[in-house]
Amino acid sequence: MKPVEENWIKIKESVINDYNISSIAVKTWIDPMEYGSETEDTVTIKLPSDKAKILDLITDKYKDIFIIAISETLGNDNVYEVNFIVEESKPQEKVSIPTNNQENESSNPSLIKKYTFDNFVAGNNEFAVSCCLAVAETAGTDKNLYNPLYIYGGSGLGKTHLMHAIGNYINEHNPSLKILYVTSENFTNDVVNSLRSDKKYNTDSMSVLKDKYRNVDVLLIDDIQFVIGKEATQVEFFNTFNALYENGKSIIISSDKHPKYMEFLDERYLTRFQMGLQVDVQPPNYETRKAILLQLNQKHGNKINDEILTYITDNISSNIRELEGAYNKLIALSRISSDEIDMEMAKNSLKDIINPNKTKVINSDIIIEEVSKHYNVSVSDILSNKRNKDIATARQVAMYLCLKLTEDNKNNIGIKMKKDHSTVIHNINKVAESIENDPTFEKNIDSLIKIITSL
């Protein structure tokens, strides 16, 4: 066994202990690192395939730290070069369940303390969580990664949780920074009230508003889509964005869709939203849904048995809010019932939320709608003649799934999709070929099928 390989565990412990790395950073960055190989002067550290997109970030953040830790642990004068590489994809591992439920002692009134990285079950959203953590770790520094960070996804998937987690992490690890979290509704109300006050009472409320939003180090604005179309609010946001960005301040934005698919979005806003990084929060897969319920159950003393948790997991797949709502309803029932909650009681209590015996009618409209969400393109674009790669892929997948999941024939699919028969055949064959040759694409299609068939 070579010296670095023999001391690999000690080296990782040295990195964690000597550089005061937080528990969530250890879990996200350090724990997944594995010893790769070594020569006389170079050590290779392996990262899992899901870290491929942030390989440069990890290298920049941890290369020098590992060089020093290796040298100090081995206790010799030989200094190793360190390289990080991404290993081949492995079968998906079981989702880990965070056990640290301690809330941040945040003194920032705009942040919800219970929303932290530690109690966010990443599951199939590990990339989004990694990017959010990277932003939280570098806020207020000259590196200030991914500015702005634009988080998008459907309702109830955890965008707000991640935004507060960023704020709470910064508040805990860099309390000197001034953080402001605000919803787009509150931002709009502030702008409107300031304009009215200036006009009615001849005050200088707009100056106060500018001080509030522009004299911060980190600005988090939730649901930015509700600002679009409100001219005065848009202008103020545009000017605030520019002022913060030019001064190197961190900006984190959330929305229900990718900026390029937001209707009525002016080009100047689109350009700014795309200056940094856009990350999507996906609907939770089966493993993630079960892990979320297990975490909730652990918090409440494991009052609900596993059979019932599996029942909820099987029947609620659209978003986390519905999942938690079903669980909380059972907890409320357990508090007023002297009997232990059994399956019959659970089914009866949740019958307004879950109806597993309903006839599932899957049609082309449902498929196109779900495909549009999955690929973050609009339904109108799927039905259009646009040839953008994302739109074309979504269109092909929609045709393939219509044939697979409905009784529509290719002629009917062509009519629905406004395409001729030969185009439908070509697109369906292309998807079938991609499924056969690309395991990642096949997994993506399987995930879509599970979502659609579980509606």
Side-chain angles (χ1 to χ4, degrees):
M1 188 177 287
K2 297 181 178 180
V4 174
E5 183 180 11
E6 185 176 357
N7 291 278
W8 178 241
I9 294 177
K10 290 182 180 179
I11 291 167
K12 289 179 77 172
E13 289 176 348
S14 173
V15 169
I16 294 168
N17 296 328
D18 294 349
Y19 291 90
N20 195 28
I21 297 176
S22 67
S23 60
I24 183 61
V26 170
K27 177 183 172 184
T28 305
W29 309 123
I30 308 299
D31 283 350
M33 295 180 184
E34 295 181 0
Y35 170 85
S37 62
E38 64 186 280
T39 64
E40 290 183 356
D41 58 5
T42 302
V43 175
T44 299
I45 299 173
K46 294 191 298 184
L47 300 167
S49 58
D50 59 13
K51 299 290 189 285
K53 293 181 180 179
I54 48 177
L55 179 61
D56 290 343
L57 163 67
I58 294 172
T59 300
D60 184 58
K61 186 173 182 62
Y62 289 105
K63 181 176 180 177
D64 291 343
I65 292 175
F66 269 91
I67 289 174
I68 296 170
I70 290 170
S71 178
E72 291 181 344
T73 302
L74 298 184
N76 56 41
D77 295 330
N78 186 25
V79 177
Y80 288 85
E81 177 67 16
V82 170
N83 291 326
F84 291 96
I85 64 168
V86 174
E87 62 182 344
E88 294 294 324
S89 298
K90 292 182 178 180
Q92 187 174 8
E93 297 178 359
K94 184 178 179 181
V95 177
S96 61
I97 305 168
T99 57
N100 181 4
N101 291 320
Q102 183 178 1
E103 294 182 357
N104 279 354
E105 294 299 322
S106 169
S107 59
N108 193 310
S110 71
L111 298 172
I112 300 175
K113 293 184 287 184
K114 70 178 182 179
Y115 289 151
T116 68
F117 286 116
D118 284 326
N119 59 29
F120 186 92
V121 180
N124 53 324
N125 284 306
E126 207 169 296
F127 176 66
V129 174
S130 296
C131 293
C132 289
L133 178 59
V135 168
E137 289 180 326
T138 58
T141 70
D142 55 355
K143 292 180 180 178
N144 197 15
L145 288 170
Y146 307 139
N147 198 28
L149 176 67
Y150 186 102
I151 308 168
Y152 66 96
S155 176
L157 298 183
K159 301 186 301 296
T160 296
H161 187 142
L162 285 174
M163 294 191 79
H164 284 282
I166 293 171
N168 284 321
Y169 185 96
I170 297 169
N171 198 71
E172 179 182 349
H173 293 86
N174 201 346
S176 62
L177 295 183
K178 188 175 180 181
I179 306 163
L180 177 61
Y181 166 88
V182 65
T183 64
S184 62
E185 180 182 8
N186 288 340
F187 181 77
T188 300
N189 289 339
D190 280 352
V191 173
V192 171
N193 290 336
S194 295
L195 289 171
R196 285 177 177 170
S197 180
D198 284 357
K199 185 175 181 180
K200 186 174 182 179
Y201 301 108
N202 194 29
T203 62
D204 196 14
S205 296
M206 285 304 293
S207 293
V208 175
L209 178 78
K210 290 174 184 177
D211 287 339
K212 175 181 177 179
Y213 285 98
R214 301 184 194 182
N215 291 326
V216 297
D217 299 296
V218 182
L219 177 64
L220 304 104
I221 297 190
D222 213 350
D223 289 324
I224 196 66
Q225 70 271 15
F226 295 121
V227 169
I228 307 306
K230 301 178 175 69
E231 187 57 36
T233 308
Q234 280 189 166
V235 170
E236 184 56 34
F237 171 75
F238 180 80
N239 293 332
T240 297
F241 182 103
N242 286 342
L244 292 173
Y245 186 84
E246 289 168 3
N247 286 301
K249 307 303 182 182
S250 295
I251 307 163
I252 298 98
I253 302 164
S254 83
S255 178
D256 62 344
K257 62 184 69 175
H258 192 284
K260 66 182 178 181
Y261 299 119
M262 292 176 69
E263 296 180 5
F264 313 116
L265 182 63
D266 189 277
E267 183 66 29
R268 59 180 179 170
Y269 299 104
L270 175 62
T271 301
R272 280 156 180 77
F273 290 164
Q274 293 182 321
M275 287 166 64
L277 177 71
Q278 303 85 48
V279 295
D280 63 325
V281 181
Q282 294 285 337
N285 59 18
Y286 181 90
E287 292 79 10
T288 307
R289 299 198 303 274
K290 186 64 177 287
I292 290 168
L293 289 175
L294 287 170
Q295 185 189 69
L296 284 170
N297 208 32
Q298 185 181 63
K299 181 179 179 181
H300 288 278
N302 296 314
K303 289 187 177 180
I304 310 300
N305 68 51
D306 191 69
E307 182 186 12
I308 295 173
L309 296 183
T310 300
Y311 170 74
I312 299 173
T313 305
D314 287 338
N315 288 283
I316 297 180
S317 60
S318 56
N319 67 53
I320 297 169
R321 261 188 220 129
E322 286 187 9
L323 201 70
E324 293 178 339
Y327 179 86
N328 289 335
K329 189 167 186 179
L330 292 183
I331 287 297
L333 178 63
S334 73
R335 288 173 180 161
I336 62 174
S337 174
S338 57
D339 299 323
E340 182 180 346
I341 304 297
D342 59 22
M343 180 60 77
E344 184 179 353
M345 293 172 67
K347 287 183 177 180
N348 187 57
S349 175
L350 300 177
K351 63 185 179 182
D352 58 333
I353 302 174
I354 298 173
N355 185 7
N357 296 320
K358 67 183 178 182
T359 302
K360 295 180 179 179
V361 180
I362 299 174
N363 56 39
S364 58
D365 289 330
I366 291 173
I367 290 171
I368 294 169
E369 177 68 27
E370 291 305 314
V371 170
S372 77
K373 293 178 185 176
H374 187 81
Y375 287 97
N376 294 294
V377 302
S378 67
V379 171
S380 60
D381 280 340
I382 291 177
L383 299 177
S384 72
N385 292 318
K386 294 180 180 179
R387 296 185 179 181
N388 170 283
K389 183 179 178 182
D390 291 341
I391 296 172
T393 299
R395 185 182 299 128
Q396 291 163 358
V397 169
M399 290 181 184
Y400 174 85
L401 294 179
C402 283
L403 184 66
K404 184 177 180 67
L405 301 178
T406 73
E407 296 182 0
D408 289 345
N409 58 34
K410 292 171 185 175
N411 284 328
N412 290 337
I413 294 171
I415 293 171
K416 178 65 180 179
M417 305 289 289
K418 303 175 184 178
K419 297 292 180 288
D420 59 52
H421 187 259
S422 61
T423 300
V424 173
I425 294 174
H426 170 76
N427 286 340
I428 290 173
N429 288 342
K430 189 168 184 179
V431 173
E433 182 181 337
S434 296
I435 290 173
E436 184 177 345
N437 298 322
D438 185 347
T440 301
F441 186 81
E442 180 184 20
K443 187 176 179 180
N444 196 24
I445 296 300
D446 285 343
S447 175
L448 249 177
I449 291 172
K450 287 178 181 178
I451 291 171
I452 293 168
T453 55
S454 63
L455 292 174

